[in-house]
Amino acid sequence: MKIYLEQNSGNPATPYTANIEITTASIDLNTKFKVPISQRVNGKTKYSGNICGFAVEGDHPDVVVSLIEKLILQLVNMARLPTYVFIARRSRKMFPVYTVEDQVFATTPGGPIFKHVELAKVREYLADYLNTTGQLGVPGKSEKLHVRGVHRETLALIRPIFYLKKRPLSATDDEFWAPVFTSRDGYSIYTYAASGRREVDIDNGYEVFWLRNQVAQALVADKRMSQNHDLRPDRLLPEYWER
């Protein structure tokens, strides 16, 4: 792994960028990431970086770079960096989620790995396990896991703009649930479904329908859904249309 600092002139809040190139250990080979290094002055100057929601901090930018390298190596699993991160807000815990072909994996520290073709089922299995073992929630009240994506350049967490959702129609049917994100350049929206990234250009709001249809067709072809119209946008809030 190669990491070098680049100074950001005229930006006191993030005076440095850690330029990262992974050369081994990951399928993200030769992918270049640019992680902002923030500066905080509160009696003593501190520098910090954030990788997939996990923060590192040090007294000097070089210390942060060293911590970032160690953190990335810890996060690489099955030769991959996380695609998503599940967040338990109340417990302030995070759980990396990986995709390998058509399988989604969630890991637990020193515990089992949960996998399924559907992100929704992995979240269900993981949440049940964590609440049952007392790692989340309080007696009599379970805690929900929230999903965030991972920005493919800065490695920061990104909030979904909406979801594509299919409710199970029978006891043997699985729920499909996929978060949708804005692309890095802001010109398209995308999600991961049926073993691939599904992406459409932004088109005055019609992109929601184009992406829904593209994902629905992929799920029908993969025999994971029977009818195109079983899939719907969910949590599509007014803020998206008011951009």
Side-chain angles (χ1 to χ4, degrees):
M1 186 184 308
K2 299 177 182 177
I3 305 180
Y4 67 91
L5 283 173
E6 180 181 357
Q7 192 163 10
N8 297 328
S9 58
N11 191 348
T14 54
Y16 298 95
T17 296
N19 292 278
I20 305 168
E21 183 177 350
I22 296 180
T23 55
T24 58
S26 171
I27 62 169
D28 295 294
L29 192 65
N30 297 324
T31 301
K32 295 181 180 179
F33 303 103
K34 294 180 176 291
V35 176
I37 304 298
S38 302
Q39 177 179 276
R40 176 173 56 87
V41 180
N42 186 14
K44 186 177 181 181
T45 301
K46 291 282 188 178
Y47 298 89
S48 62
N50 194 294
I51 305 293
C52 304
F54 296 89
V56 293
E57 186 177 76
D59 296 334
H60 192 277
D62 289 337
V63 174
V64 176
V65 166
S66 177
L67 293 172
I68 284 175
E69 182 174 7
K70 293 177 182 177
L71 178 57
I72 287 178
L73 292 175
Q74 291 172 4
L75 285 172
V76 169
N77 197 333
M78 294 168 286
R80 287 160 171 79
L81 284 166
T83 306
Y84 311 102
V85 174
F86 285 140
I87 299 175
R89 292 175 182 167
R90 191 164 60 244
S91 300
R92 296 185 177 182
K93 293 182 179 180
M94 296 183 293
F95 304 90
V97 183
Y98 304 84
T99 53
V100 181
E101 296 179 351
D102 61 349
Q103 293 283 328
V104 182
F105 293 77
T107 61
T108 57
I113 295 175
F114 298 96
K115 66 178 180 178
H116 198 276
V117 293
E118 306 292 7
L119 180 64
K121 296 301 291 184
V122 172
R123 184 177 72 160
E124 177 187 330
Y125 296 154
L126 178 62
D128 286 349
Y129 168 78
L130 295 171
N131 281 290
T132 300
T133 57
Q135 298 182 54
L136 294 184
V138 295
K141 187 175 182 180
S142 61
E143 186 172 357
K144 186 177 180 180
L145 293 174
H146 302 269
V147 68
R148 294 292 182 267
V150 176
H151 195 283
R152 303 318 293 176
E153 182 179 33
T154 65
L155 296 179
L157 295 185
I158 50 178
R159 184 184 295 270
I161 51 176
F162 65 94
Y163 300 82
L164 292 173
K165 193 168 187 177
K166 172 189 76 83
R167 294 192 181 278
L169 302 178
S170 67
T172 59
D173 199 10
D174 287 325
E175 177 185 11
F176 175 83
W177 171 85
V180 177
F181 304 97
T182 303
S183 66
R184 183 168 61 189
D185 59 15
Y187 293 123
S188 62
I189 61 174
Y190 70 92
T191 190
Y192 293 97
S195 307
R197 175 171 166 140
R198 312 292 167 174
E199 187 168 7
V200 297
D201 292 338
I202 289 179
D203 182 19
N204 296 314
Y206 288 103
E207 65 273 7
V208 174
F209 305 106
W210 307 148
L211 185 63
R212 188 217 67 83
N213 188 58
Q214 184 184 127
V215 171
Q217 289 180 351
L219 293 174
V220 170
D222 205 33
K223 301 187 185 304
R224 288 158 63 182
M225 194 169 72
S226 58
Q227 299 291 330
N228 182 296
H229 296 294
D230 287 344
L231 187 70
R232 62 178 173 84
D234 188 56
R235 299 187 191 178
L236 186 57
L237 301 177
E239 288 81 358
Y240 182 80
W241 304 105
E242 294 169 357
R243 293 176 304 163

